Amino acid sequence: MKSKAAFVILIFSGFSAFAGAVEASTNFYVDPDWTGVQVGTASQPWNALSASAWTTINAALASDDLTIYFSALKADRVTQQSRAWFVQCRRTDYGPHRLTLDGYSFYNSSETSPNWLSNPDTDINDAYLNGKVFKTTGDGSQALGWTRVDGNDFVTHNGLVYCCIESHLASSDNEPGVGPNWQLYWDQHGTSSTEWSSGASYKCYVKQNNVTLRGFEATGAGARSTVAGDNLVWEYNYIHDVTVIGPGLDLSYTSHPDSSAAQIIARPSTNLVFHHFRIKNTYGEGFYLGSINPDATGTFQLAHGNQHSYVLLEDFVIINPGINGAQGDGVDCKSGITYLTIRLGDISGFGGNGNGINLGLSATNTDQHILVERNFIHDSTFDNQGAQRAIHAQTGGASDASLYGFKGVTIRNNIVANCQLGIQFTGSTSPNQPATYGSVFNNTVYNVTPNAGLAVNTNVSNCVVKNNFVFGGADPRGVMDASGVVSDYNAHDGTWISSSEGLHTLALGSTQALASVVDAATENFDVVLGAPINHMAQTQVSFSDDFVGDPRGLLWDISAYQYEPTATPTPTPTATPAPTPTATPTPTPTPTVTPTPTATPTPTPTATATPTATPTATPCHGGWKHGCH
């Protein structure tokens, strides 16, 4: 059965290719319990990453990839190794070699004669969630990564002061204010500094490139994590029970501070991968993806435009963001991120005026290439503080008023259950910010109340809404009351508001809708054989799989799931030894792709349900250090 449980198993048992140790050409070792001579080797490990250790690390990175192994366990092979540290990456080398900080692969089995052995838990999927990786409880403010206050080099040149925004070797090409590419490395601001010198190395600690952080547990009052940089890999890390400062995980803005005084301190980051991770019980958001700083002035935001690009979130779980205070968004994406993909996520327990996934605007009229697919977003807190939209893409926020709006967002194959609003892709007229080129395909939305299950409306154009199954909860089930939406092949019970719904959309009774899935009450939304939504969807060319990645075949179902015989629960057999014809696992679909539905379509809704059921936007635009109050 392709149930919710099967989906969770997929998250934690798949991707086994990453489970082994990540070996590099140069290795260093850290064991906090070692008291002997410290040079960073396996026989004489460091007991902390001191300034002198980082000097050695950066020198080695100039010629080689490098891995720093933290002892996952104490010498007894059982007890988890733990320290109240900010495991702070201080990479200054600007070359292409990868630096990996690994808290999983090995442990030191002897404190008198160091002997490093492989982690006895050979499955990193299990180890990082069950106390078999290096644990940091933080320094009171940070636990893992690096921050926007880590610092930059400043120089004075030709009477002006410049801030380094990308670590580099000084040359005529990047000479501040003079070289043809100087703006890739410097931003002109600051008050005083030393004179620029050709041939010197200049550093931007705020942005550190080609770094992998894997196999750590971060927990404690202030154990949040912050990162930014090109070619970043964040994997198999578990952040939980952070109680006084947030968010749990933060992708830094490229500017600082969070006010009208903001200045650029880092060049935008690209090619960032966050996968195989868990975040639970945070103060503030679970994962906050900064890009354009919403607390900067509108003029500043527009001048610098879209920032981070090619960001992937994949195979992750976020539980109870904001449960310890502040705003509880699961994944909060600020405006200015392009080529963003969020998939295979399980987000639950969001509240505190927060949403499951917030999507940010584009600064300009350019394709954002945003894809949100195959996520399970469910069971918001219903704490009466507002928001709690599962997937939220809405313009009109005061702090984003200078930006363009949305262009190019695809939301498909997601399951939403038991939230206050389901899926929203909405523009605004004041300010005039459109939501354009939105595609909403094959989502299952159940028991959304008190707001709409699916809303694509207000200043929208070139949008397509097809193959979605929206049932249970409050009316209206759907709001597509705009001429810029092509909506068809959907299924719903209750009220469906659409200015020109296609003739293939199915209006079901509540009993029909509930009977179309295995058990909505336990959040098992597998489609059953013979459901009215079987084979009633329109085949799409842009994708071909369903919620769990199975191929849909030739005849598509209206749902995030595609029915397959093995997914249908088999009734308890009788004592008759011969199988009955109804037990055969092969369905006999109608050969036409778009058959006429037996249920009466309702392209024109009743006038009693109005679009005002879609909530007014009240997104949080405060910076991460504010906790988004």
Side-chain angles (χ1 to χ4, degrees):
M1 178 181 295
K2 298 185 296 180
S3 64
K4 177 183 68 173
F7 177 59
V8 174
I9 290 171
L10 167 70
I11 286 181
F12 291 112
S13 64
F15 308 99
S16 60
F18 289 93
V22 178
E23 291 291 348
S25 299
T26 302
N27 300 329
F28 289 113
Y29 299 83
V30 177
D31 178 9
D33 292 337
W34 173 246
T35 59
V37 176
Q38 299 178 47
V39 294
T41 62
S43 60
Q44 295 177 316
W46 292 310
N47 63 17
L49 290 181
S50 63
S52 62
W54 276 109
T55 298
T56 302
I57 293 165
N58 283 304
L61 277 169
S63 58
D64 231 338
D65 291 348
L66 187 154
T67 298
I68 305 171
Y69 293 109
F70 292 72
S71 186
L73 306 171
K74 290 183 175 292
D76 63 9
R77 194 175 182 267
V78 175
T79 306
Q80 184 177 24
Q81 186 61 269
S82 176
R83 282 296 185 273
W85 286 353
F86 176 18
V87 180
Q88 184 179 20
C89 185
R90 298 288 287 173
R91 177 171 190 166
T92 59
D93 174 78
Y94 47 81
H97 299 294
R98 178 159 292 275
L99 170 63
T100 299
L101 277 63
D102 185 321
Y104 160 72
S105 294
F106 297 108
Y107 76 101
N108 181 16
S109 64
S110 173
E111 297 304 338
T112 57
S113 181
N115 180 35
W116 292 78
L117 301 177
S118 295
N119 195 315
D121 190 335
T122 58
D123 184 2
I124 192 173
N125 293 282
D126 174 77
Y128 90 102
L129 296 173
N130 291 287
K132 301 300 182 182
V133 297
F134 185 90
K135 179 169 73 173
T136 171
T137 57
D139 65 354
S141 179
Q142 299 284 344
L144 182 63
W146 53 98
T147 75
R148 288 187 295 161
V149 297
D150 275 350
N152 306 71
D153 284 344
F154 284 79
V155 298
T156 299
H157 194 52
N158 295 330
L160 298 174
V161 179
Y162 297 86
C163 171
C164 178
I165 61 173
E166 185 85 67
S167 297
H168 67 283
L169 180 67
S171 67
S172 59
D173 178 75
N174 52 54
E175 181 179 354
V178 177
N181 294 309
W182 75 269
Q183 290 176 309
L184 298 178
Y185 302 93
W186 302 99
D187 187 73
Q188 194 270 299
H189 75 270
T191 55
S192 64
S193 191
T194 58
E195 182 65 31
W196 177 82
S197 176
S198 180
S201 293
Y202 292 105
K203 312 298 186 298
C204 173
Y205 292 103
V206 178
K207 182 186 179 190
Q208 300 185 45
N209 299 333
N210 305 314
V211 175
T212 295
L213 299 170
R214 75 187 306 264
F216 289 91
E217 179 181 355
T219 182
R224 62 177 175 175
S225 297
T226 304
V227 293
D230 296 349
N231 309 316
L232 172 73
V233 177
W234 172 280
E235 61 183 7
Y236 302 109
N237 298 311
Y238 181 25
I239 301 169
H240 64 99
D241 297 292
V242 183
T243 58
V244 299
I245 195 167
L249 175 57
D250 171 58
L251 171 60
S252 288
Y253 297 133
T254 55
S255 66
H256 186 72
D258 298 335
S259 70
S260 59
Q263 298 284 356
I264 292 294
I265 60 168
R267 189 168 154 189
S269 298
T270 189
N271 191 28
L272 302 96
V273 176
F274 300 88
H275 59 177
H276 326 313
F277 65 90
R278 177 179 284 216
I279 300 172
K280 182 178 180 180
N281 298 343
T282 60
Y283 180 96
E285 300 88 343
F287 189 178
Y288 189 99
L289 284 76
S291 189
I292 296 174
N293 191 331
D295 289 326
T297 64
T299 301
F300 178 93
Q301 294 182 46
L302 197 58
H304 290 93
N306 292 330
Q307 297 291 295
H308 301 314
S309 62
Y310 293 96
V311 181
L312 170 65
L313 280 64
E314 182 178 57
D315 182 30
F316 63 92
V317 173
I318 297 177
I319 303 171
N320 299 335
I323 196 171
N324 294 318
Q327 188 165 10
D329 297 299
V331 175
D332 191 1
C333 305
K334 293 297 138 184
S335 295
I337 304 175
T338 57
Y339 294 91
L340 168 67
T341 298
I342 304 173
R343 64 186 176 210
L344 292 173
D346 186 319
I347 302 173
S348 64
F350 53 96
N353 201 32
N355 300 306
I357 296 174
N358 281 326
L359 299 177
L361 286 63
S362 174
T364 59
N365 183 2
T366 187
D367 193 339
Q368 294 175 275
H369 293 280
I370 292 177
L371 173 61
V372 180
E373 67 171 354
R374 299 173 60 191
N375 299 286
F376 181 35
I377 307 173
H378 58 107
D379 298 292
S380 65
T381 61
F382 289 87
D383 56 15
N384 298 317
Q385 295 186 48
Q388 298 181 40
R389 308 163 182 90
I391 302 174
H392 176 230
Q394 184 177 17
T395 68
S399 61
D400 294 322
S402 65
L403 306 182
Y404 170 76
F406 288 107
K407 183 176 181 179
V409 176
T410 298
I411 302 170
R412 69 190 186 204
N413 279 340
N414 300 284
I415 293 179
V416 171
N418 303 311
C419 303
Q420 289 195 176
L421 190 147
I423 298 172
Q424 184 172 22
F425 185 71
T426 304
S428 60
T429 56
S430 181
N432 181 17
Q433 292 175 313
T436 64
Y437 293 96
S439 300
V440 184
F441 294 126
N442 284 95
N443 300 283
T444 294
V445 181
Y446 170 70
N447 195 34
V448 166
T449 185
N451 298 305
L454 176 59
V456 181
N457 63 327
T458 310
N459 199 5
V460 296
S461 61
N462 297 297
C463 293
V464 180
V465 179
K466 291 185 176 180
N467 303 346
N468 301 284
F469 184 28
V470 186
F471 66 111
D475 275 332
R477 302 293 196 262
V479 181
M480 268 61 64
D481 60 336
S483 59
V485 184
V486 175
S487 183
D488 200 0
Y489 295 92
N490 302 294
H492 63 90
D493 60 355
T495 301
W496 191 261
I497 299 176
S498 179
S499 59
S500 57
E501 190 70 18
L503 297 178
H504 305 90
T505 287
L506 305 178
L508 307 176
S510 59
T511 301
Q512 281 182 300
L514 287 168
S516 296
V517 301
V518 173
D519 188 1
T522 60
E523 298 181 342
N524 186 336
F525 296 105
D526 287 316
V527 178
V528 302
L529 178 63
I533 59 176
N534 285 149
H535 308 150
M536 301 298 280
Q538 184 185 58
T539 302
Q540 303 300 315
V541 297
S542 57
F543 67 107
S544 60
D545 59 358
D546 74 348
F547 173 71
V548 292
D550 288 341
R552 287 188 175 270
L554 296 177
L555 300 175
W556 286 31
D557 293 348
I558 299 175
S559 170
Y561 276 115
Q562 179 72 21
Y563 169 77
E564 64 177 12
T566 57
T568 303
T570 305
T572 303
T574 64
T576 305
T580 62
T582 57
T584 176
T586 305
T588 55
T590 306
T592 176
V593 176
T594 56
T596 303
T598 56
T600 303
T602 58
T604 305
T606 61
T608 55
T610 65
T612 56
T614 304
T616 301
T618 54
C620 165
H621 296 283
W624 60 270
K625 71 188 181 76
H626 299 309
C628 280
H629 290 292

